[in-house]
Amino acid sequence: MTPLIKVRNLSKRYRSHGREVQALDDVSFTLGERETLALVGPSGSGKSTLSRAITRLITVDGGEICFAGEDWLALKGAELRRKRRYMQMVFQDPLEALNPRATVFSAIVDPIRIHGLAPRARWRQEVSQLLDRVQLPSHLMDRAVHEISGGQRQRVALARALACKPRLIVLDEAVSALDVSLRSHIIDLMIELQREEGLSYLFVSHDLAVVKAMAHRTAVMEAGRIVELGPTQDVIDRPQSNMAKALIAAVPRLIRSRNP
Ligand SMILES: Nc1ncnc2c1ncn2[C@@H]1O[C@H](COP(=O)(O)OP(=O)(O)OP(=O)(O)O)[C@@H](O)[C@H]1O
Ligand SMILES: [Mg+2]
């Protein structure tokens, strides 16, 4: 497996109101091309901090990230803006990334326009194809983002990420807010996109059924550290760390393929 991203000894400390939190403590892992890695762990264990550090939404105190063969943390200015599109992030609340007053069309065409990915004459066609990709009707493009449903908005956020032609999509609880049938629909779609476009996913979820359906490998976080990392089925069937054991014990038996 060719590694797409290599994370080495990443650390991040937050200081607020005189208190210090080691949100990332010496985190290392690799993620391959066409691979899905799930991040699981209790609230406050550092999953969102890791997602945001990798996508460079926050700075880190130490460590290295090699992405597609480049020193990702060293990129800056125009070069960073140009290469940023290869790594997209989809949030639990799509309004974090989408302007609610913008139309669906402009939300999706933004990266195409900014990165010059298609000539203006092709924009509507591109947006229409992307909407089709996430199984939304193309007439939705003229609606405002605040006028569509939460599930539709989540798919618009995914279409916008796909418009960038990324190599990695980081999803932080991106499907958690969706109802069960829509969630499984989006998971199928993401697996299909991975097959067709050769995408990699780093994917935060507290839902082990989703993790089991999507992730080739799973990393378990606790207090800013990765305490266990292995093939998803192994982590679920034979958890090694106390944290993994506790997380698995808390989910319905039907997810586990063997009795513990
Ligand atoms: N901006 C911030 N300022 C100060 N502390 C922060 C900040 N963001 C996160 N933290 C702290 O860093 C630690 C890790 O938080 P993080 O949001 O990464 O956890 P998480 O695993 O994503 O949790 P959840 O499952 O609840 O989303 C927590 O102790 C949190 O309180
Ligand atoms: Mg979080």
Side-chain angles (χ1 to χ4, degrees):
M1 184 180 61
T2 326
L4 176 63
I5 184 161
K6 278 189 247 176
V7 174
R8 288 283 166 263
N9 311 111
L10 215 57
S11 69
K12 171 72 181 180
R13 187 191 295 269
Y14 286 113
R15 290 169 199 85
S16 70
H17 308 293
R19 243 171 46 87
E20 290 207 338
V21 180
Q22 191 71 42
L24 295 179
D25 185 1
D26 203 23
V27 169
S28 301
F29 67 90
T30 61
L31 172 63
E33 282 179 9
R34 297 174 181 267
E35 189 188 23
T36 300
L37 177 68
L39 282 180
V40 301
S43 183
S45 57
K47 306 178 300 292
S48 294
T49 303
L50 182 54
S51 307
R52 286 164 190 267
I54 288 171
T55 47
R56 292 200 53 178
L57 293 173
I58 57 168
T59 58
V60 292
D61 300 319
E64 293 164 20
I65 299 175
C66 178
F67 176 60
E70 282 195 281
D71 183 351
W72 180 241
L73 296 181
L75 291 180
K76 50 183 194 288
E79 197 181 14
L80 174 62
R81 281 195 296 278
R82 198 168 64 245
K83 294 190 170 155
R84 197 156 216 162
R85 75 174 172 92
Y86 294 112
M87 201 194 283
Q88 288 296 306
M89 180 144 178
V90 181
F91 299 90
Q92 173 165 19
D93 176 5
L95 289 179
E96 264 197 78
L98 304 174
N99 170 3
R101 286 181 304 279
T103 61
V104 167
F105 172 79
S106 77
I108 297 175
V109 91
D110 248 9
I112 296 175
R113 180 175 55 76
I114 290 165
H115 297 290
L117 299 177
R120 183 179 286 264
R122 280 187 48 85
W123 285 357
R124 282 190 82 83
Q125 195 184 336
E126 290 279 325
V127 171
S128 168
Q129 279 169 1
L130 284 158
L131 285 171
D132 186 55
R133 210 93 196 66
V134 297
Q135 298 174 3
L136 287 173
S138 58
H139 66 77
L140 223 61
M141 74 169 92
D142 298 315
R143 301 263 287 275
V145 165
H146 71 82
E147 291 173 338
I148 61 177
S149 76
Q152 290 172 330
R153 224 176 267 150
Q154 195 55 280
R155 280 183 277 176
V156 168
L158 192 57
R160 178 188 163 96
L162 291 171
C164 297
K165 301 198 171 23
R167 302 188 62 183
L168 170 66
I169 301 185
V170 178
L171 301 120
D172 191 351
E173 304 278 16
V175 296
S176 308
L178 305 177
D179 73 55
V180 176
S181 71
L182 195 52
R183 194 183 309 161
S184 66
H185 181 82
I186 296 225
I187 290 164
D188 289 345
L189 169 68
M190 287 173 53
I191 293 171
E192 189 188 312
L193 289 170
Q194 180 166 57
R195 211 175 32 237
E196 289 172 3
E197 324 249 340
L199 278 168
S200 302
Y201 297 117
L202 178 69
F203 154 70
V204 175
S205 180
H206 54 244
D207 185 340
L208 284 183
V210 174
V211 168
K212 187 176 160 155
M214 272 200 69
H216 302 106
R217 290 188 302 149
T218 294
V220 181
M221 290 193 75
E222 179 179 11
R225 305 183 72 95
I226 292 181
V227 293
E228 183 161 348
L229 198 164
T232 298
Q233 202 61 57
D234 291 358
V235 173
I236 290 176
D237 290 343
R238 287 177 294 278
Q240 302 295 312
S241 60
N242 287 336
M243 182 47 72
K245 286 177 187 163
L247 291 172
I248 306 304
V251 300
R253 198 167 287 261
L254 56 101
I255 290 175
R256 293 173 266 164
S257 56
R258 306 183 336 165
N259 290 331

